[in-house]
Amino acid sequence: MSSELEYLKSLVAQLNEKIKVLEAKITPSPVEQLRTILMGPPGAGKGTQAPLIRDKFCVCHLATGDMLREQVEQKTKLGLQAKKIMDEGGLVPDDVMVGMIKGELENNQKCKNGFVLDGFPRTVPQAQKLDSMLDSRGEHLDSVVQLLIDDSLLISRITGRLIHPASGRTYHREFNPPKKPMTDDVTGEPLIQRSDDNVETLQRRLKTYHSQTGPVAEYYKAKGLWHGIDAAQSPSVVWDNLRGVFRSN
């Protein structure tokens, strides 16, 4: 009986040790915690890379456009405030957007190891307000990554883009077509082409992006946080470059 008990104890000890090893592999250490901003024009690949960053580093993906829509739908205090402003044709104030981000950092358990911020900041005052909010929490950015790509290539990418509205999954008629035309591979639901995914609208959006984002990039370059990555490469190469940036921080 005693030998059997000893055997079981040793087995439990081995199992506990194995559990520790496995937990260490899937639970990020403090070194792997990450607070980063992903910048880039529409179609540069933020929607492809941000979920990879989220899953690899176990951080939250804060896409400010999605956050804003969600807050409006849930009729939160900030959402109601933003809806009133948008209904009147105004732009949502920076303080409201920073407040939404702060709310996620405080209340979203997925943000405990950090975040990848997508779609904000778009101006230097927004970047300054974001810095102030993070300072108040005793946090700081680790990096700011800008996906760099030629406008002409972007236009060919975006005009062929197809989207599954419910999940945000994206396809491309030429580069990444769905298995069945205009049908989501996972759910079988219809895909759509966004109404603003046309050449004229895209050229206007790119002009706005460049005029706003140039100063933001310079702001973060001065802080030593900015990294540029060639987004014309294949998504897997872009991902390898991203991981290289995060390892070097």
Side-chain angles (χ1 to χ4, degrees):
M1 181 70 72
S2 62
S3 61
E4 185 178 357
L5 182 60
E6 290 303 316
Y7 168 73
L8 289 173
K9 283 182 177 179
S10 69
L11 195 59
V12 168
Q14 289 174 37
L15 286 172
N16 284 335
E17 189 60 34
K18 183 70 173 175
I19 288 169
K20 285 180 183 178
V21 171
L22 291 173
E23 283 180 339
K25 288 182 179 178
I26 62 174
T27 304
S29 68
V31 174
E32 292 180 305
Q33 292 187 356
L34 184 70
R35 296 175 182 86
T36 191
I37 293 172
L38 192 59
M39 296 171 57
K46 298 192 301 296
T48 299
Q49 301 298 334
L52 295 176
I53 300 170
R54 176 197 66 202
D55 295 343
K56 167 64 177 174
F57 292 92
C58 299
V59 297
C60 59
H61 173 205
L62 301 180
T64 49
D66 294 341
M67 285 169 51
L68 185 56
R69 284 188 288 273
E70 189 176 320
Q71 295 270 348
V72 170
E73 287 172 8
Q74 293 179 356
K75 299 182 178 178
T76 64
K77 182 179 178 182
L78 286 174
L80 291 172
Q81 187 179 346
K83 185 176 187 304
K84 183 174 184 296
I85 294 165
M86 289 188 293
D87 287 347
E88 293 171 354
L91 294 173
V92 178
D94 297 346
D95 289 337
V96 172
M97 293 306 302
V98 172
M100 288 184 182
I101 295 168
K102 183 179 181 183
E104 289 292 321
L105 298 184
E106 289 176 348
N107 303 311
N108 186 344
Q109 187 62 19
K110 294 177 181 177
C111 296
K112 70 182 189 312
N113 294 314
F115 57 82
V116 51
L117 189 52
D118 169 6
F120 191 95
R122 296 188 180 187
T123 66
V124 171
Q126 288 178 351
Q128 292 168 335
K129 288 179 186 293
L130 177 65
D131 281 347
S132 295
M133 183 272 285
L134 291 174
D135 285 344
S136 72
R137 291 174 48 80
E139 298 176 355
H140 64 274
L141 290 169
D142 300 309
S143 57
V144 175
V145 180
Q146 185 173 8
L147 301 180
L148 306 169
I149 187 167
D150 209 57
D151 286 1
S152 58
L153 181 54
L154 274 180
I155 290 171
S156 67
R157 276 189 179 185
I158 289 190
T159 50
R161 184 165 64 177
L162 302 171
I163 296 173
H164 178 239
S167 68
R169 274 186 293 277
T170 58
Y171 301 83
H172 193 280
R173 295 180 193 275
E174 182 181 351
F175 306 123
N176 180 33
K179 294 173 184 174
K180 184 178 175 183
M182 295 303 293
T183 304
D184 180 50
D185 290 349
V186 178
T187 64
E189 294 171 344
L191 302 176
I192 64 166
Q193 183 166 25
R194 278 176 33 171
S195 59
D196 57 352
D197 281 354
N198 60 73
V199 175
E200 294 78 15
T201 303
L202 181 56
Q203 286 175 333
R204 287 196 300 271
R205 290 169 68 194
L206 287 172
K207 185 177 180 181
T208 301
Y209 168 80
H210 290 309
S211 65
Q212 290 182 335
T213 326
V216 175
E218 293 302 320
Y219 174 81
Y220 286 121
K221 284 177 184 178
K223 289 177 169 283
L225 294 172
W226 183 90
H227 302 266
I229 289 180
D230 179 5
Q233 305 171 101
S234 70
S236 61
V237 174
V238 173
W239 172 237
D240 286 341
N241 290 342
L242 279 167
R243 286 191 299 175
V245 168
F246 301 146
R247 279 197 298 267
S248 68
N249 288 325

